[in-house]
Amino acid sequence: MKKYMTLACLMAMAMTAQAQQQGGISAELLNQLKQSYQNTPADKALRNAIGSNDIKKLVVNQENQQAFDTHFSIEVPSKGITNQRSSGRCWMFTGLNVMRAKAIAKYDLPSLEFSQVYTFFYDQLEKSNLFLQAIIDTAGQPMEDQTVQWLFKNPIGDGGTFTGVADLVMKYGLVPKEVMPETYSSEHTGAMSSLLKQKLREGGLRLREKSAKGAKPAELAAYKNELLGTIYRMLTLTLGVPPTEFNYVRKDAKGNPLETEHHTPKSFLEKYGDTSLLTDYVMVMNDPTRDYYKCYEIAYDRHVYDGMNWKYVNLPVEDIKQMAIASLKDGNRMYFSSDLGQMDSQRGLLAMNNYDYASLMGTTFGMNKKERIMTFTSGSAHAMTLMAVDLDEAGQPKKWMVENSWGAESGYKGHLIMTDEWFNEYMFRLVLNTKYVPEKVLKVFRQQPVQLPAWDPMFAEEE
């Protein structure tokens, strides 16, 4: 027996050696690789510099540090910069900021900020229900099923998309920020989110156990509702109690009180918000990995179980630009989302040549937008409010500007300015009122969408 074991070990060692020769790093290859670093004075200087400094500070492109033009030929301003702080609620801040700009202009208000924590409360409650009901719906599938695994990996989060804004606002209305202000947990969502995930995953397992033992739908629904009661209490403890009615003092442009109005969240939405969010808006996308002029839908990419999945029309970037310009010319801001590659956050400039990693590392980083998406390098990560464009004499865009939600001290007075070249490479999503969307695009939007799985790498929540 020992003889056979010795032979088996020798064979295994031989197979391992053969595998290393075929695809592993052999001693010969390692010696070859070592030649890529020669320890020349230049190499040593670079190693010393990189070893003692933040790489990003070392790659600042000095040729791009000159002052940049902040004039825009078309700009739709608003009053006041918001701050999502340490949370992933950019999608919500952006959607609410688009609406508040319209209300400020319509009623000549000195300022207005909708309560983000009010909408966030119901976002977290609805996402909890979405997860638990999805667990019931998939209870017959094995735990190894990809959809079931995805659900347990992603029971809840604070990120999202415009469809969440539309569904939540239309279902629960709006309140002004002074009626339900931010809390520590709304501005620092990490601990709260961790607890909610843990409770939901536990509840999801119990639902699957009950289903496996033959529980009837009514019993599963009753247990789900019990779990939602626990979630509701956790949300009130961390975020506060959502108001059902309140008084709002409307002021003139100089801040003088004009009228005290009594509202419910729904009546406040009707007067100061936008009640057409579910009917009059289209999301367009620039994703060069998929066919243009087609409609796509993402499974489970919604905030409300009985709401809308995220649906969009994929278009060339030049088509999207023309619609965006038409909207801005008409005084309407837009929900906009992008990657944040090459962002100079201190100056508030998004440009292709802000940082020169290639020269520091002595190599190239040459993937285009399609290749970055395919390799998980780039994707839509952050939502902001598109509010300005600068056009040349031929009417073509030179640069764009967005209102961010990182506070007034961030970037360029709370804004980010992007070159048109950067826009081409890192812009992904835009939400437009249907009146700025050509009929041929609307026809595509009305078609039966191609459904993509929830785990598609391009469609992570915006934070």
Side-chain angles (χ1 to χ4, degrees):
M1 176 65 77
K2 291 182 178 179
K3 178 180 178 181
Y4 291 126
M5 290 179 65
T6 301
L7 287 173
C9 289
L10 290 172
M11 290 177 65
M13 291 171 64
M15 292 175 65
T16 301
Q18 184 180 12
Q20 288 179 339
Q21 291 173 0
Q22 292 178 349
I25 296 179
S26 64
E28 291 77 13
L29 177 56
L30 181 58
N31 285 330
Q32 181 182 336
L33 296 176
K34 288 179 179 179
Q35 302 308 308
S36 63
Y37 178 76
Q38 295 291 324
N39 201 29
T40 63
D43 277 350
K44 189 173 182 180
L46 284 172
R47 183 163 60 89
N48 289 339
I50 294 172
S52 304
N53 292 279
D54 178 354
I55 288 180
K56 196 167 186 179
K57 292 181 179 179
L58 294 175
V59 297
V60 172
N61 186 356
Q62 295 301 319
E63 296 176 359
N64 196 44
Q65 289 298 297
Q66 67 273 20
F68 56 91
D69 183 15
T70 59
H71 167 77
F72 285 85
S73 55
I74 301 171
E75 182 175 344
V76 187
S78 71
K79 299 177 180 179
I81 300 295
T82 56
N83 194 338
Q84 68 187 79
R85 301 196 184 277
S86 298
S87 75
R89 299 175 294 159
C90 67
W91 57 277
M92 181 186 300
F93 275 71
T94 299
L96 298 181
N97 284 343
V98 170
M99 283 191 289
R100 79 184 180 105
K102 294 180 180 179
I104 289 171
K106 181 178 179 180
Y107 294 102
D108 195 25
L109 302 174
S111 63
L112 173 65
E113 191 170 343
F114 296 120
S115 171
Q116 296 91 2
V117 69
Y118 173 82
T119 306
F120 186 51
F121 182 102
Y122 288 112
D123 169 69
Q124 297 295 280
L125 183 64
E126 287 283 358
K127 282 178 179 173
S128 298
N129 180 66
L130 172 63
F131 167 76
L132 294 172
Q133 188 59 49
I135 291 299
I136 293 174
D137 295 343
T138 59
Q141 302 299 321
M143 195 68 179
E144 296 75 23
D145 177 79
Q146 192 167 9
T147 297
V148 175
Q149 288 189 341
W150 182 88
L151 288 168
F152 275 99
K153 286 179 181 177
N154 304 277
I156 197 170
D158 57 0
T161 65
F162 176 81
T163 53
V165 178
D167 277 329
L168 293 164
V169 167
M170 293 305 296
K171 186 170 184 177
Y172 294 103
L174 295 166
V175 304
K177 186 172 183 176
E178 55 265 35
V179 170
M180 189 172 180
E182 295 281 287
T183 69
Y184 184 88
S185 289
S186 70
E187 294 182 334
H188 307 81
T189 54
M192 180 191 78
S193 182
S194 179
L195 290 171
L196 290 173
K197 286 178 180 178
Q198 184 173 336
K199 190 61 189 177
L200 287 170
R201 285 168 174 151
E202 177 188 351
L205 284 176
R206 301 296 172 261
L207 282 169
R208 286 180 60 86
E209 290 169 0
K210 288 178 179 294
S211 177
K213 293 177 181 178
K216 301 297 183 183
E219 183 181 346
L220 294 176
Y223 184 65
K224 184 195 78 168
N225 293 343
E226 180 183 332
L227 289 168
L228 286 175
T230 300
I231 297 297
Y232 191 97
R233 184 174 186 275
M234 292 173 70
L235 292 175
T236 57
L237 292 174
T238 52
L239 302 179
V241 180
T244 56
E245 55 182 328
F246 54 90
N247 289 327
Y248 173 66
V249 180
R250 183 165 61 89
K251 300 176 181 178
D252 63 19
K254 296 181 179 180
N256 299 312
L258 292 176
E259 180 183 3
T260 298
E261 305 170 349
H262 188 73
H263 283 286
T264 65
K266 282 295 188 72
S267 70
F268 198 74
L269 163 66
E270 290 170 2
K271 181 166 184 177
Y272 294 101
D274 188 340
T275 57
S276 64
L277 293 175
L278 294 175
T279 57
D280 293 352
Y281 289 87
V282 172
M283 181 179 285
V284 295
M285 179 88 161
N286 178 242
D287 175 7
T289 69
R290 292 194 166 93
D291 292 340
Y292 291 137
Y293 302 105
K294 282 192 175 181
C295 187
Y296 297 89
E297 181 179 354
I298 317 301
Y300 286 108
D301 200 337
R302 61 188 189 273
H303 295 235
V304 179
Y305 182 80
D306 50 354
M308 302 183 300
N309 278 330
W310 171 34
K311 187 172 78 169
Y312 69 94
V313 178
N314 197 31
L315 295 173
V317 70
E318 295 302 326
D319 289 18
I320 294 175
K321 288 180 186 179
Q322 293 309 307
M323 290 183 279
I325 292 170
S327 180
L328 290 172
K329 283 183 175 178
D330 203 27
N332 284 296
R333 300 167 145 225
M334 289 152 284
Y335 182 106
F336 166 97
S337 67
S338 68
D339 203 342
L340 293 176
Q342 289 285 322
M343 178 180 67
D344 183 339
S345 58
Q346 288 189 333
R347 295 195 299 161
L349 178 64
L350 296 162
M352 295 301 295
N353 56 348
N354 278 336
Y355 302 101
D356 185 6
Y357 292 97
S359 294
L360 181 69
M361 293 298 177
T363 186
T364 59
F365 299 92
M367 286 190 291
N368 59 31
K369 187 175 186 178
K370 180 177 180 179
E371 293 166 335
R372 291 197 309 273
I373 295 170
M374 292 170 60
T375 57
F376 306 90
T377 305
S378 188
S380 190
H382 184 54
M384 299 170 282
T385 307
L386 186 62
M387 43 83 69
V389 64
D390 192 28
L391 304 178
D392 62 20
E393 294 180 356
Q396 296 302 308
K398 297 186 293 182
K399 61 182 184 293
W400 306 78
M401 185 162 66
V402 291
E403 178 186 308
N404 204 359
S405 54
W406 293 348
E409 303 304 316
S410 172
Y412 173 67
K413 301 177 181 179
H415 302 78
L416 293 174
I417 294 174
M418 64 193 80
T419 66
D420 191 58
E421 181 185 11
W422 187 95
F423 189 103
N424 292 339
E425 287 296 319
Y426 292 105
M427 173 270 168
F428 285 104
R429 306 171 186 166
L430 190 70
V431 178
L432 295 136
N433 190 289
T434 51
K435 64 182 176 180
Y436 307 114
V437 181
E439 181 59 30
K440 68 175 183 178
V441 176
L442 293 176
K443 286 183 179 179
V444 176
F445 189 72
R446 299 185 192 111
Q447 294 173 2
Q448 182 68 26
V450 177
Q451 187 161 90
L452 301 172
W455 50 86
D456 191 290
M458 183 61 191
F459 307 105
E461 294 178 328
E462 290 150 350
E463 299 179 349

